[in-house]
Amino acid sequence: MKEDFEENYPLSKKISRFAGEAIRDYSMIREGDGILIGLSGGKDSLLLSLSLALLRKRSPVKFTLRACLIDQSDGSMQTERVAAYMDELEIPLKIVPHPICQIMEERKERSPCSLCANMRRGMLAGQAAALGCDTIALGHHKDDAAETVLMNLFYGGRFKCFHPHLYMSRSGIRVIRPFVYLEERRIELEARRLSLPVTNFCCPYGEKSKRKIAKETMASLLKEAPELKSNIVHALKNLHENESWPKGMLKE
């Protein structure tokens, strides 16, 4: 008989509270949902898996969990510890090898991060449909949201970000992000405290990506405006039509 993972991985009440607030605010989980966790092996998706596994035990809303790891490492990623961890959480895991980095190198892709994200999301949607899941859960957090806003401002001229709960009309799959209220630092500390089997894939494009520039810019801005990330998320939640610049005259 398996040991109770709740005793082995005593999740912080603050992590549970922030995730619970996001799930409630954006109606992320519904009765009978089949949720596929997009697993990377990193701290965010591993902690998200634990959070959802605990919620599955406690919530009156019944849902099922599965996980899918897109292995783009060409076999170099050590997935054994991750697989054992998911087994502890009683979450079935499917590992799908795919040469994403090789494809980007062959195409000499100018925006590798965008292409990678789109490919991974498309593959996850396909796996969700094949596994009978209607929802994909991703580990994006508050830092990701704030940095995405900066990236869209810098390179797209738009104040825009991914949504915490998105319906993909092409596939009929919903995407949820229960960690959008959590800062990356808190996730990192919790993953370290619980000794989660973090198995990061070292992306060859990570050191020269637009996201790295946004992350460095954010770190610099936080020195002068410590609440910047929270303020960006607040703006995303409360952006009113009269705060944009419509053509013609604006009436107060």
Side-chain angles (χ1 to χ4, degrees), residues 5-238:
F5 65 82
E6 192 168 0
E7 295 181 6
N8 295 336
Y9 303 103
L11 186 67
S12 158
K13 291 183 179 179
K14 284 189 176 181
I15 299 287
S16 295
R17 178 167 60 83
F18 279 118
E21 286 178 5
I23 289 170
R24 286 191 298 273
D25 285 353
Y26 296 99
S27 305
M28 292 185 186
I29 299 179
R30 306 168 181 176
E31 183 73 31
D33 276 351
I35 299 175
L36 180 70
I37 301 168
L39 204 65
S40 68
K43 63 187 186 310
D44 308 325
S45 60
L46 291 179
L47 194 66
L48 175 63
S49 298
L50 174 60
S51 178
L52 290 176
L54 290 169
L55 182 63
R56 179 182 58 182
K57 290 183 64 175
R58 302 168 181 172
S59 174
V61 177
K62 301 304 177 185
F63 59 92
T64 61
L65 290 173
R66 301 184 73 97
C68 179
L69 192 158
I70 309 296
D71 182 3
Q72 60 199 72
S73 69
D74 196 26
S76 64
M77 186 177 182
Q78 301 299 314
T79 58
E80 293 81 4
R81 292 178 63 228
V82 173
Y85 169 72
M86 300 306 288
D87 188 52
E88 281 188 81
L89 302 185
E90 299 180 26
I91 300 176
L93 170 64
K94 183 172 183 180
I95 299 176
V96 180
H98 196 273
I100 294 177
C101 291
Q102 181 183 336
I103 292 171
M104 290 190 292
E105 185 177 346
E106 290 173 353
R107 291 179 49 165
K108 302 187 185 303
E109 183 61 36
R110 294 179 60 186
S111 301
C113 295
S114 177
L115 175 63
C116 179
N118 289 335
M119 289 179 67
R120 286 168 57 85
R121 191 164 72 169
M123 293 177 67
L124 285 173
Q127 289 295 324
L131 295 169
C133 296
D134 53 19
T135 307
I136 296 170
L138 301 177
H140 294 134
H141 42 65
K142 183 188 284 189
D143 293 60
D144 289 325
E147 290 160 12
T148 299
V149 167
L150 288 189
M151 289 169 65
N152 280 318
L153 283 173
F154 294 166
Y155 306 109
R158 297 175 297 173
F159 188 88
K160 184 181 178 183
C161 185
F162 53 74
H163 198 275
H165 186 179
L166 172 72
Y167 177 71
M168 297 192 296
S169 56
R170 286 187 179 181
S171 61
I173 302 290
R174 293 185 292 116
V175 177
I176 61 174
R177 296 174 167 95
F179 276 3
V180 288
Y181 290 167
L182 277 163
E183 292 194 15
E184 182 176 22
R185 179 63 175 164
R186 187 182 294 276
I187 294 171
E188 183 178 3
L189 290 172
E190 185 70 355
R192 193 181 306 161
R193 183 181 73 84
L194 296 174
S195 299
L196 299 188
V198 175
T199 311
N200 281 322
F201 166 66
C202 188
C203 174
Y205 299 94
E207 289 303 310
K208 51 185 177 182
S209 68
K210 292 178 179 178
R211 181 164 294 278
K212 185 173 189 295
I213 294 172
K215 185 179 286 289
E216 291 171 348
T217 303
M218 177 64 68
S220 177
L221 292 171
L222 286 170
K223 295 175 183 177
E224 297 297 327
E227 298 301 316
L228 179 59
K229 286 183 288 189
S230 294
N231 288 340
I232 289 176
V233 170
H234 177 79
L236 287 167
K237 293 169 66 176
N238 297 280

